[in-house]
Amino acid sequence: MEIISDYLVIGSGIAGLSFALQAAKTGRVAVVTKKEKTEGSTNYAQGGIASVFDRDDSFDLHIEDTLKSGDGLCHEDIVRLVVEEGPERIKELISMGVYFSRQERDGETLDLGREGGHSRRRIVHTKDLTGREVERILLDRVEENPNIRIYENHMAIDLITKSKLIRRGIIASETSETCWGAYVLDVKQGQIITFLAKITVMSTGGAGKVYRYTSNPDIATGDGVAIGYRAGAKIANMEFVQFHPTCLYHPLAKSFLISEAVRGEGGVLLDKKGDSFMEKYHPLKDLAFRDIVARSIDMELKKSGDECVYLDISHRDPAFITERFPHIFETCLKFQVDITKEPIPVVPAAHYMCGGLLTDKYGKTSLDNLYAIGEAACTGLHGANRLASNSLLEALVFARRAALRSAEEMGDKMDKALPSAPQWDPGSATDSEETVVVSHNWDEIRSFMWNYVGIVRTNKRLARASTRVENIQKEIREYYWDFLVTQDLLELRNIALVAQLIIACASLRKESRGLHFNLDYPSKDNIHWLQDTVMWI
Ligand code: FAD
Ligand code: SIN
């Protein structure tokens, strides 16, 4: 089966949906999404979107905070354009119908939250459910647009590229690699569909599931990075994995996030004895940059042997807490923690992928016709450590830039017919009965990534992880070609490759910077390492 559109968007989070809405002004858009359409990190975003709205704030201050957080690796031109375009993108969301919390005094002025590393209040939010509100409205607008069709439970497997078509004798060789769409698994029917498109957009989100403990939803298996890399696209900075300092510590809570906004409203980190400790690590204390807070907690836990630290906001008025953080309050209460009365047990967990498919300032990757936006991309905004709440902002800004630029490209391509691509060839693959192999490898990757490639790394741990992932890769390669593809197998193949890329980038960087901390090179080396780590096949 073949489906043809002008734009193929892979992923239905803030990045993919924002792109689709803009692109639909110039062509037909197919959005494929591997589970239900709401299921992505966007829907779980709590804190909000960072942008300059306060009289006491300025673009320069937001830029300065972002650069400081990025620890030398942010691209200043990208930081500036994202920060400066931010307020317009947020006003657009409001005009589409998104409700952001307002100040009580006039019911109109945006209520701005504060998070780690921000020198001013600048987080636009909807209580502690910002992502759910944004996703809801974007989906409403997409669903009423006749030029957009969403395909739920459709998982992209691999890109259709020129080299593949050349290998099969379908088109003649030219110089640059070009993308013409993707092979997509219809998960419910078990059928593989050829989606052909003039422009393909990778908006597949992050890769938290590469680690045993993560704040991310199950979809976050780094598919976009793996798919793009396999097709020859450049990737960058995969060593910079952000660990969120405060996820609920409870065996059944699946690392539920306790927003940094809680610390922004006065929450304090405490050890088991009830003593605060962040003042030992940074002058900004509990509102220090995220890499510093996560590392400090890790050190405290290693020193004390305790299983968690505590986050205490119970000194604030209970009415304020339940009004400002209703979702966190209710979720913690389900796990018998009343945050208005007692400290919350918390631990760090993998949260955000600062690296990704390398793009230019329009979201274009190194492959012709392929764009990457949102968490799947590495635009240069975050450097070595993303500033809190800059991610939703980046997705909004780059979705629009990519849509405008690709519409121009589309104009050039309008007359050019799409090449005909062959149907997916399953070869001699059969149904597998050995799903245990998939789940065993899946668990093993997530465990060694957590133990060896986590908040603190060493050369020896990285070498161990590298050997382990290579063995698993070999096994997957054999398994993949022998058995019919399933969602689990495809995700395993992707997390294994993403793990390998994280380990490879981390092993190359012989210094400690931002989120990458290696005990064998504990200092920053601005002479040799003030640069992105870029890789491609
Ligand atoms: P996502 O929203 O993750 O969407 C990815 C989409 O791609 C999904 O629809 C998924 O199903 C689909 N997909 C993936 N692989 C495939 C495939 N192979 N085929 C088809 N579809 C595929 N950032 C902030 O700025 N502020 C916050 O307050 C904030 N809070 C957060 C709280 C939590 C709990 C988490 C996990 C993250 C938070 N972040 C926050 C980060 C931010 O939410 C994400 O970086 C952002 O939402 C990513 O948007 P996205 O559109 O790139 O990806
Ligand atoms: C949070 O609410 O703490 C998450 C914010 C972010 O990841 O940017």
Side-chain angles (χ1 to χ4, degrees):
M1 189 176 163
E2 191 171 272
I3 293 176
I4 298 178
S5 58
D6 295 311
Y7 301 93
L8 170 63
V9 176
I10 306 175
S12 59
I14 188 171
L17 296 178
S18 303
F19 178 94
L21 284 168
Q22 183 69 36
K25 294 176 186 165
T26 56
R28 289 157 308 144
V29 187
V31 180
V32 295
T33 187
K34 71 177 171 180
K35 286 185 99 181
E36 300 79 39
K37 55 196 172 219
T38 50
E39 199 49 21
S41 292
T42 301
N43 210 33
Y44 298 90
Q46 295 184 357
I49 313 178
S51 200
V52 174
F53 279 95
D54 196 85
R55 261 205 230 120
D56 287 341
D57 200 0
S58 69
F59 289 149
D60 283 344
L61 283 172
H62 189 179
I63 290 167
E64 195 182 309
D65 294 344
T66 304
L67 293 176
K68 269 194 204 152
S69 180
D71 211 3
L73 286 195
C74 298
H75 298 200
E76 199 166 339
D77 55 336
I78 299 291
V79 176
R80 180 165 292 281
L81 77 84
V82 171
V83 165
E84 290 184 355
E85 287 185 25
E88 279 312 305
R89 301 290 76 79
I90 287 173
K91 284 180 203 159
E92 258 166 32
L93 284 182
I94 295 171
S95 69
M96 282 184 214
V98 173
Y99 175 78
F100 290 118
S101 299
R102 308 287 161 152
Q103 289 181 18
E104 221 172 80
R105 64 181 166 90
D106 60 8
E108 261 181 42
T109 311
L110 286 169
D111 180 52
L112 301 172
R114 184 150 181 208
E115 291 179 8
H118 287 277
S119 57
R120 293 288 185 279
R121 283 191 168 266
R122 63 167 75 98
I123 318 295
V124 178
H125 63 97
T126 312
K127 301 194 178 202
D128 57 355
L129 283 162
T130 312
R132 195 179 294 180
E133 171 68 0
V134 171
E135 180 78 14
R136 182 178 73 84
I137 295 295
L138 288 175
L139 272 173
D140 281 356
R141 297 293 85 83
V142 160
E143 281 169 347
E144 65 198 23
N145 192 313
N147 262 0
I148 308 176
R149 171 141 184 221
I150 299 195
Y151 296 83
E152 287 186 296
N153 302 302
H154 279 61
M155 175 176 186
I157 305 173
D158 273 319
L159 296 176
I160 299 166
T161 53
K162 198 162 66 187
S163 338
K164 277 194 192 127
L165 302 184
I166 292 168
R167 274 205 299 277
R168 293 177 192 206
I170 289 167
I171 56 171
S173 169
E174 288 167 36
T175 45
S176 61
E177 182 58 297
T178 312
C179 171
W180 295 110
Y183 290 110
V184 175
L185 172 68
D186 175 342
V187 178
K188 294 241 154 113
Q189 302 300 323
Q191 186 191 8
I192 293 170
I193 304 174
T194 308
F195 274 81
L196 281 172
K198 292 171 188 161
I199 298 286
T200 302
V201 180
M202 205 58 91
S203 44
T204 45
K209 294 294 283 187
V210 170
Y211 287 86
R212 189 194 290 159
Y213 302 109
T214 176
S215 65
N216 290 188
D218 290 347
I219 58 95
T221 47
D223 296 2
V225 168
I227 292 171
Y229 181 79
R230 278 197 294 270
K234 289 184 178 171
I235 57 100
N237 290 358
M238 292 298 290
E239 66 272 42
F240 298 115
V241 177
Q242 186 168 68
F243 291 79
H244 198 290
T246 57
C247 292
L248 180 60
Y249 178 70
H250 188 286
L252 301 178
K254 259 194 124 181
S255 303
F256 172 73
L257 189 83
I258 308 295
S259 175
E260 207 157 291
V262 172
R263 277 175 282 137
E265 299 300 346
V268 181
L269 285 161
L270 305 174
D271 61 19
K272 199 177 181 176
K273 288 182 269 163
D275 295 329
S276 62
F277 55 83
M278 274 312 298
E279 60 276 12
K280 287 189 281 184
Y281 296 97
H282 198 274
L284 289 171
K285 300 184 210 166
D286 298 277
L287 285 176
F289 296 105
R290 206 171 268 181
D291 54 336
I292 292 163
V293 181
R295 226 165 17 245
S296 308
I297 295 177
D298 189 68
M299 280 175 81
E300 287 291 311
L301 293 179
K302 284 195 174 124
K303 257 193 318 199
S304 64
D306 294 337
E307 286 175 334
C308 63
V309 294
Y310 296 85
L311 176 58
D312 191 15
I313 181 95
S314 64
H315 51 279
R316 296 287 317 252
D317 180 357
F320 167 79
I321 295 173
T322 51
E323 168 63 20
R324 176 68 178 84
F325 301 113
H327 180 54
I328 295 172
F329 170 72
E330 277 159 27
T331 307
C332 287
L333 207 53
K334 275 195 218 144
F335 295 105
Q336 286 80 49
V337 179
D338 182 344
I339 71 169
T340 65
K341 297 199 175 107
E342 59 195 316
I344 313 163
V346 290
V347 281
H351 181 63
Y352 185 85
M353 175 175 79
C354 291
L357 290 161
L358 186 66
T359 70
D360 68 8
K361 61 180 176 191
Y362 301 101
K364 268 192 82 128
T365 69
S366 56
L367 299 195
D368 278 355
N369 301 357
L370 179 68
Y371 286 72
I373 49 176
E375 196 169 333
C378 181
T379 64
L381 174 69
H382 307 309
N385 176 42
R386 176 180 66 104
L387 183 65
S389 286
N390 263 357
S391 161
L392 297 174
L393 177 69
E394 180 194 45
L396 287 172
V397 168
F398 272 90
R400 184 163 184 280
R401 295 180 72 83
L404 294 178
R405 177 47 64 108
S406 58
E408 284 171 27
E409 280 201 89
M410 187 65 77
D412 301 338
K413 286 185 212 314
M414 276 305 177
D415 302 333
K416 286 187 205 154
L418 285 160
S420 64
Q423 301 284 304
W424 176 266
D425 176 13
S428 54
T430 55
D431 265 332
S432 159
E433 280 165 15
E434 292 195 59
T435 46
V436 63
V437 178
V438 175
S439 62
H440 175 80
N441 281 335
W442 177 272
D443 289 344
E444 188 176 343
I445 293 172
R446 299 184 71 208
S447 292
F448 70 68
M449 287 304 285
W450 183 260
N451 291 326
Y452 300 153
V453 199
I455 297 174
V456 176
R457 301 154 181 185
T458 64
N459 286 347
K460 212 165 163 184
R461 289 179 206 168
L462 290 173
R464 255 187 211 161
S466 178
T467 312
R468 303 276 276 274
V469 83
E470 271 164 32
N471 289 338
I472 291 180
Q473 287 273 49
K474 221 169 108 207
E475 215 170 286
I476 294 170
R477 272 195 294 274
E478 287 161 14
Y479 202 78
Y480 183 76
W481 291 117
D482 283 349
F483 297 107
L484 286 177
V485 291
T486 60
Q487 179 159 5
D488 287 347
L489 180 53
L490 292 172
E491 287 183 338
L492 173 67
R493 184 172 75 135
N494 292 338
I495 65 159
L497 177 52
V498 171
Q500 191 172 33
L501 292 172
I502 295 172
I503 298 164
C505 289
S507 306
L508 274 178
R509 184 170 288 281
K510 304 206 180 320
E511 64 158 356
S512 289
R513 178 188 300 276
L515 295 158
H516 173 69
F517 188 77
N518 184 334
L519 282 173
D520 292 310
Y521 314 103
S523 316
K524 202 153 38 193
D525 176 354
N526 280 337
I527 295 172
H528 301 101
W529 292 105
L530 201 55
Q531 53 177 312
D532 294 328
T533 316
V534 181
M535 286 187 173
W536 66 98
I537 287 182

PDB file of all heavy atoms in Angstrom, residues 45-48 115 242 244 246 257-261 263 290 351-352 386-391, ligand 2:
ATOM      1  N   ALA A  45       4.210  17.654  29.846  1.00  0.00           N
ATOM      2  CA  ALA A  45       5.015  18.808  30.265  1.00  0.00           C
ATOM      3  C   ALA A  45       4.302  19.556  31.385  1.00  0.00           C
ATOM      4  O   ALA A  45       3.100  19.814  31.304  1.00  0.00           O
ATOM      5  CB  ALA A  45       5.274  19.720  29.079  1.00  0.00           C
ATOM      6  N   GLN A  46       5.041  19.881  32.426  1.00  0.00           N
ATOM      7  CA  GLN A  46       4.423  20.499  33.604  1.00  0.00           C
ATOM      8  C   GLN A  46       4.757  21.982  33.714  1.00  0.00           C
ATOM      9  O   GLN A  46       3.875  22.842  33.700  1.00  0.00           O
ATOM     10  CB  GLN A  46       4.906  19.775  34.871  1.00  0.00           C
ATOM     11  CG  GLN A  46       4.469  18.333  34.957  1.00  0.00           C
ATOM     12  CD  GLN A  46       4.875  17.685  36.271  1.00  0.00           C
ATOM     13  OE1 GLN A  46       5.537  18.300  37.115  1.00  0.00           O
ATOM     14  NE2 GLN A  46       4.484  16.448  36.466  1.00  0.00           N
ATOM     15  N   GLY A  47       6.065  22.274  33.843  1.00  0.00           N
ATOM     16  CA  GLY A  47       6.521  23.617  34.217  1.00  0.00           C
ATOM     17  C   GLY A  47       5.988  24.706  33.311  1.00  0.00           C
ATOM     18  O   GLY A  47       5.365  25.662  33.754  1.00  0.00           O
ATOM     19  N   GLY A  48       6.241  24.575  31.985  1.00  0.00           N
ATOM     20  CA  GLY A  48       5.724  25.562  31.049  1.00  0.00           C
ATOM     21  C   GLY A  48       6.691  25.924  29.953  1.00  0.00           C
ATOM     22  O   GLY A  48       7.583  25.142  29.609  1.00  0.00           O
ATOM     23  N   GLU A 115      12.041  28.799  37.277  1.00  0.00           N
ATOM     24  CA  GLU A 115      12.682  27.477  37.348  1.00  0.00           C
ATOM     25  C   GLU A 115      14.191  27.661  37.418  1.00  0.00           C
ATOM     26  O   GLU A 115      14.702  28.776  37.268  1.00  0.00           O
ATOM     27  CB  GLU A 115      12.279  26.625  36.130  1.00  0.00           C
ATOM     28  CG  GLU A 115      10.800  26.224  36.183  1.00  0.00           C
ATOM     29  CD  GLU A 115      10.334  25.409  34.987  1.00  0.00           C
ATOM     30  OE1 GLU A 115      11.166  25.002  34.162  1.00  0.00           O
ATOM     31  OE2 GLU A 115       9.119  25.196  34.894  1.00  0.00           O
ATOM     32  N   GLN A 242      20.033  14.875  29.718  1.00  0.00           N
ATOM     33  CA  GLN A 242      19.663  15.632  30.926  1.00  0.00           C
ATOM     34  C   GLN A 242      18.865  14.757  31.898  1.00  0.00           C
ATOM     35  O   GLN A 242      17.883  14.130  31.503  1.00  0.00           O
ATOM     36  CB  GLN A 242      18.818  16.841  30.530  1.00  0.00           C
ATOM     37  CG  GLN A 242      18.510  17.750  31.710  1.00  0.00           C
ATOM     38  CD  GLN A 242      17.940  19.079  31.254  1.00  0.00           C
ATOM     39  OE1 GLN A 242      16.831  19.139  30.743  1.00  0.00           O
ATOM     40  NE2 GLN A 242      18.691  20.139  31.439  1.00  0.00           N
ATOM     41  N   HIS A 244      16.506  14.832  35.132  1.00  0.00           N
ATOM     42  CA  HIS A 244      15.726  15.774  35.944  1.00  0.00           C
ATOM     43  C   HIS A 244      15.990  15.433  37.405  1.00  0.00           C
ATOM     44  O   HIS A 244      15.905  14.270  37.801  1.00  0.00           O
ATOM     45  CB  HIS A 244      14.232  15.664  35.626  1.00  0.00           C
ATOM     46  CG  HIS A 244      13.464  16.856  36.097  1.00  0.00           C
ATOM     47  ND1 HIS A 244      13.257  17.122  37.441  1.00  0.00           N
ATOM     48  CD2 HIS A 244      12.860  17.863  35.426  1.00  0.00           C
ATOM     49  CE1 HIS A 244      12.558  18.241  37.552  1.00  0.00           C
ATOM     50  NE2 HIS A 244      12.304  18.715  36.343  1.00  0.00           N
ATOM     51  N   THR A 246      14.281  15.849  40.128  1.00  0.00           N
ATOM     52  CA  THR A 246      13.232  15.476  41.090  1.00  0.00           C
ATOM     53  C   THR A 246      12.083  14.688  40.453  1.00  0.00           C
ATOM     54  O   THR A 246      11.137  15.260  39.919  1.00  0.00           O
ATOM     55  CB  THR A 246      12.667  16.745  41.777  1.00  0.00           C
ATOM     56  OG1 THR A 246      12.174  17.641  40.779  1.00  0.00           O
ATOM     57  CG2 THR A 246      13.717  17.453  42.612  1.00  0.00           C
ATOM     58  N   LEU A 257       7.204  13.026  37.385  1.00  0.00           N
ATOM     59  CA  LEU A 257       7.984  14.260  37.541  1.00  0.00           C
ATOM     60  C   LEU A 257       7.396  15.186  38.613  1.00  0.00           C
ATOM     61  O   LEU A 257       6.181  15.379  38.672  1.00  0.00           O
ATOM     62  CB  LEU A 257       8.006  15.013  36.217  1.00  0.00           C
ATOM     63  CG  LEU A 257       8.951  16.208  36.167  1.00  0.00           C
ATOM     64  CD1 LEU A 257      10.364  15.747  35.858  1.00  0.00           C
ATOM     65  CD2 LEU A 257       8.504  17.217  35.117  1.00  0.00           C
ATOM     66  N   ILE A 258       8.282  15.735  39.438  1.00  0.00           N
ATOM     67  CA  ILE A 258       7.869  16.818  40.339  1.00  0.00           C
ATOM     68  C   ILE A 258       8.531  18.076  39.765  1.00  0.00           C
ATOM     69  O   ILE A 258       9.739  18.263  39.870  1.00  0.00           O
ATOM     70  CB  ILE A 258       8.359  16.589  41.793  1.00  0.00           C
ATOM     71  CG1 ILE A 258       7.977  15.189  42.306  1.00  0.00           C
ATOM     72  CG2 ILE A 258       7.817  17.695  42.711  1.00  0.00           C
ATOM     73  CD1 ILE A 258       6.497  14.917  42.458  1.00  0.00           C
ATOM     74  N   SER A 259       7.713  18.918  39.170  1.00  0.00           N
ATOM     75  CA  SER A 259       8.218  20.048  38.387  1.00  0.00           C
ATOM     76  C   SER A 259       9.229  20.913  39.150  1.00  0.00           C
ATOM     77  O   SER A 259       9.092  21.149  40.354  1.00  0.00           O
ATOM     78  CB  SER A 259       7.039  20.935  37.977  1.00  0.00           C
ATOM     79  OG  SER A 259       7.504  22.083  37.325  1.00  0.00           O
ATOM     80  N   GLU A 260      10.178  21.434  38.372  1.00  0.00           N
ATOM     81  CA  GLU A 260      11.146  22.372  38.931  1.00  0.00           C
ATOM     82  C   GLU A 260      10.436  23.650  39.418  1.00  0.00           C
ATOM     83  O   GLU A 260      10.968  24.393  40.247  1.00  0.00           O
ATOM     84  CB  GLU A 260      12.134  22.730  37.822  1.00  0.00           C
ATOM     85  CG  GLU A 260      13.473  23.135  38.316  1.00  0.00           C
ATOM     86  CD  GLU A 260      14.534  22.927  37.245  1.00  0.00           C
ATOM     87  OE1 GLU A 260      14.837  21.755  36.923  1.00  0.00           O
ATOM     88  OE2 GLU A 260      15.055  23.929  36.750  1.00  0.00           O
ATOM     89  N   ALA A 261       9.243  23.870  38.889  1.00  0.00           N
ATOM     90  CA  ALA A 261       8.473  25.032  39.335  1.00  0.00           C
ATOM     91  C   ALA A 261       8.173  24.952  40.834  1.00  0.00           C
ATOM     92  O   ALA A 261       7.952  25.982  41.493  1.00  0.00           O
ATOM     93  CB  ALA A 261       7.167  25.110  38.550  1.00  0.00           C
ATOM     94  N   ARG A 263      10.337  24.053  43.079  1.00  0.00           N
ATOM     95  CA  ARG A 263      11.466  24.774  43.696  1.00  0.00           C
ATOM     96  C   ARG A 263      11.381  26.264  43.383  1.00  0.00           C
ATOM     97  O   ARG A 263      11.769  27.108  44.179  1.00  0.00           O
ATOM     98  CB  ARG A 263      12.796  24.173  43.228  1.00  0.00           C
ATOM     99  CG  ARG A 263      13.195  22.942  44.040  1.00  0.00           C
ATOM    100  CD  ARG A 263      14.441  22.285  43.500  1.00  0.00           C
ATOM    101  NE  ARG A 263      14.138  21.488  42.329  1.00  0.00           N
ATOM    102  CZ  ARG A 263      14.869  21.450  41.228  1.00  0.00           C
ATOM    103  NH1 ARG A 263      15.958  22.183  41.129  1.00  0.00           N
ATOM    104  NH2 ARG A 263      14.535  20.686  40.219  1.00  0.00           N
ATOM    105  N   ARG A 290      20.186  22.680  36.128  1.00  0.00           N
ATOM    106  CA  ARG A 290      19.697  21.322  36.356  1.00  0.00           C
ATOM    107  C   ARG A 290      20.813  20.286  36.464  1.00  0.00           C
ATOM    108  O   ARG A 290      20.735  19.344  37.252  1.00  0.00           O
ATOM    109  CB  ARG A 290      18.765  20.966  35.204  1.00  0.00           C
ATOM    110  CG  ARG A 290      17.762  19.950  35.557  1.00  0.00           C
ATOM    111  CD  ARG A 290      16.760  19.813  34.455  1.00  0.00           C
ATOM    112  NE  ARG A 290      15.612  20.682  34.635  1.00  0.00           N
ATOM    113  CZ  ARG A 290      14.579  20.718  33.804  1.00  0.00           C
ATOM    114  NH1 ARG A 290      14.576  19.944  32.738  1.00  0.00           N
ATOM    115  NH2 ARG A 290      13.562  21.522  34.017  1.00  0.00           N
ATOM    116  N   HIS A 351      15.670  12.531  31.467  1.00  0.00           N
ATOM    117  CA  HIS A 351      14.546  13.432  31.193  1.00  0.00           C
ATOM    118  C   HIS A 351      14.554  14.010  29.774  1.00  0.00           C
ATOM    119  O   HIS A 351      13.515  14.095  29.132  1.00  0.00           O
ATOM    120  CB  HIS A 351      14.598  14.573  32.209  1.00  0.00           C
ATOM    121  CG  HIS A 351      13.497  15.578  32.086  1.00  0.00           C
ATOM    122  ND1 HIS A 351      12.175  15.244  32.278  1.00  0.00           N
ATOM    123  CD2 HIS A 351      13.521  16.902  31.798  1.00  0.00           C
ATOM    124  CE1 HIS A 351      11.416  16.331  32.119  1.00  0.00           C
ATOM    125  NE2 HIS A 351      12.215  17.344  31.806  1.00  0.00           N
ATOM    126  N   TYR A 352      15.731  14.402  29.282  1.00  0.00           N
ATOM    127  CA  TYR A 352      15.742  15.157  28.030  1.00  0.00           C
ATOM    128  C   TYR A 352      17.015  14.885  27.237  1.00  0.00           C
ATOM    129  O   TYR A 352      18.108  14.806  27.815  1.00  0.00           O
ATOM    130  CB  TYR A 352      15.645  16.664  28.331  1.00  0.00           C
ATOM    131  CG  TYR A 352      15.522  17.490  27.082  1.00  0.00           C
ATOM    132  CD1 TYR A 352      14.269  17.693  26.493  1.00  0.00           C
ATOM    133  CD2 TYR A 352      16.636  18.034  26.470  1.00  0.00           C
ATOM    134  CE1 TYR A 352      14.154  18.425  25.324  1.00  0.00           C
ATOM    135  CE2 TYR A 352      16.523  18.772  25.296  1.00  0.00           C
ATOM    136  CZ  TYR A 352      15.280  18.965  24.737  1.00  0.00           C
ATOM    137  OH  TYR A 352      15.153  19.675  23.575  1.00  0.00           O
ATOM    138  N   ARG A 386      20.381  21.890  28.702  1.00  0.00           N
ATOM    139  CA  ARG A 386      19.218  22.726  28.368  1.00  0.00           C
ATOM    140  C   ARG A 386      18.725  23.512  29.576  1.00  0.00           C
ATOM    141  O   ARG A 386      18.589  22.974  30.677  1.00  0.00           O
ATOM    142  CB  ARG A 386      18.083  21.826  27.878  1.00  0.00           C
ATOM    143  CG  ARG A 386      16.795  22.567  27.589  1.00  0.00           C
ATOM    144  CD  ARG A 386      15.735  21.612  27.101  1.00  0.00           C
ATOM    145  NE  ARG A 386      15.353  20.675  28.133  1.00  0.00           N
ATOM    146  CZ  ARG A 386      14.221  20.739  28.833  1.00  0.00           C
ATOM    147  NH1 ARG A 386      13.365  21.731  28.637  1.00  0.00           N
ATOM    148  NH2 ARG A 386      13.944  19.829  29.741  1.00  0.00           N
ATOM    149  N   LEU A 387      18.445  24.780  29.350  1.00  0.00           N
ATOM    150  CA  LEU A 387      17.812  25.592  30.389  1.00  0.00           C
ATOM    151  C   LEU A 387      16.338  25.164  30.503  1.00  0.00           C
ATOM    152  O   LEU A 387      15.662  24.939  29.488  1.00  0.00           O
ATOM    153  CB  LEU A 387      17.897  27.069  30.002  1.00  0.00           C
ATOM    154  CG  LEU A 387      17.340  28.082  31.002  1.00  0.00           C
ATOM    155  CD1 LEU A 387      18.145  28.096  32.301  1.00  0.00           C
ATOM    156  CD2 LEU A 387      17.338  29.493  30.398  1.00  0.00           C
ATOM    157  N   ALA A 388      15.857  25.055  31.731  1.00  0.00           N
ATOM    158  CA  ALA A 388      14.484  24.590  31.979  1.00  0.00           C
ATOM    159  C   ALA A 388      13.467  25.352  31.120  1.00  0.00           C
ATOM    160  O   ALA A 388      13.579  26.564  30.938  1.00  0.00           O
ATOM    161  CB  ALA A 388      14.144  24.775  33.458  1.00  0.00           C
ATOM    162  N   SER A 389      12.495  24.617  30.604  1.00  0.00           N
ATOM    163  CA  SER A 389      11.363  25.152  29.838  1.00  0.00           C
ATOM    164  C   SER A 389      11.733  25.840  28.524  1.00  0.00           C
ATOM    165  O   SER A 389      10.919  26.547  27.931  1.00  0.00           O
ATOM    166  CB  SER A 389      10.497  26.078  30.711  1.00  0.00           C
ATOM    167  OG  SER A 389       9.762  25.249  31.602  1.00  0.00           O
ATOM    168  N   ASN A 390      12.967  25.602  28.064  1.00  0.00           N
ATOM    169  CA  ASN A 390      13.355  26.099  26.742  1.00  0.00           C
ATOM    170  C   ASN A 390      13.010  25.104  25.636  1.00  0.00           C
ATOM    171  O   ASN A 390      13.219  25.409  24.466  1.00  0.00           O
ATOM    172  CB  ASN A 390      14.880  26.344  26.693  1.00  0.00           C
ATOM    173  CG  ASN A 390      15.225  27.806  26.955  1.00  0.00           C
ATOM    174  OD1 ASN A 390      14.335  28.640  27.115  1.00  0.00           O
ATOM    175  ND2 ASN A 390      16.503  28.119  27.004  1.00  0.00           N
ATOM    176  N   SER A 391      12.495  23.931  26.016  1.00  0.00           N
ATOM    177  CA  SER A 391      12.293  22.902  24.999  1.00  0.00           C
ATOM    178  C   SER A 391      10.998  23.101  24.216  1.00  0.00           C
ATOM    179  O   SER A 391      10.984  23.032  22.979  1.00  0.00           O
ATOM    180  CB  SER A 391      12.295  21.543  25.701  1.00  0.00           C
ATOM    181  OG  SER A 391      11.703  20.596  24.902  1.00  0.00           O
TER     182      SER A 391
HETATM  183  C1  SIN B   2       9.645  20.770  34.896  1.00  0.00           C
HETATM  184  O1  SIN B   2       8.482  21.155  34.990  1.00  0.00           O
HETATM  185  O2  SIN B   2      10.434  20.678  35.841  1.00  0.00           O
HETATM  186  C2  SIN B   2      10.150  20.366  33.544  1.00  0.00           C
HETATM  187  C3  SIN B   2      10.599  21.550  32.834  1.00  0.00           C
HETATM  188  C4  SIN B   2      11.491  21.159  31.702  1.00  0.00           C
HETATM  189  O3  SIN B   2      11.870  20.006  31.536  1.00  0.00           O
HETATM  190  O4  SIN B   2      11.849  22.073  30.961  1.00  0.00           O
END
